Amino acid sequence: MTDCEHLTGAGDPSPRTTEGCEECLRTGMRWVHLRRCLDCGHIGCCDSSPGRHSTAHFRETGHPVIASFEPGETWRWCFVDEMLG
C-alpha cells in the first residue's frame, strides 16, 4: 500500500457551517450524510445524497481530501488517490 501525500498533508479547517450541506441548504434539497473539505471547511453532502455536493466541490476546486462530518466518524477520503485514511 502506498502513502497518500494528500491525506498526510491534509489540514483541519473549521467547518464553514454546522447546519448542513451548504448547497442543499441554499436550494432546499435533502442530504444523507455530510462531509467536510479539509482544505477550506466546505460542508457538502455525500454521494448517496441527490446533490452529491462533496464530489462536486472537489471537481470544482480540486481540493483533494474530505472527512466525515458525522458524529463518531473519523475517516478521511482522498478523491485524487481514491484512498481512505
Side-chain angles (χ1 to χ4, degrees), residues 14-24 34-37 40-45 53-54 57 67 69:
S14 297
R16 296 193 323 201
T17 181
T18 58
E19 302 301 313
C21 172
E22 296 177 31
E23 290 81 6
C24 288
L34 298 173
R35 310 294 182 234
R36 177 175 55 114
C37 173
C40 69
H42 170 268
I43 301 298
C45 56
H53 291 119
S54 283
H57 178 74
F69 197 60

Side-chain angles (χ1 to χ4, degrees), residues 36-67:
R36 177 175 55 114
C37 173
L38 295 186
D39 196 318
C40 69
H42 170 268
I43 301 298
C45 56
C46 69
D47 284 355
S48 295
S49 302
R52 302 178 70 179
H53 291 119
S54 283
T55 298
H57 178 74
F58 162 67
R59 289 186 180 136
E60 291 169 11
T61 65
H63 296 166
V65 182
I66 57 169

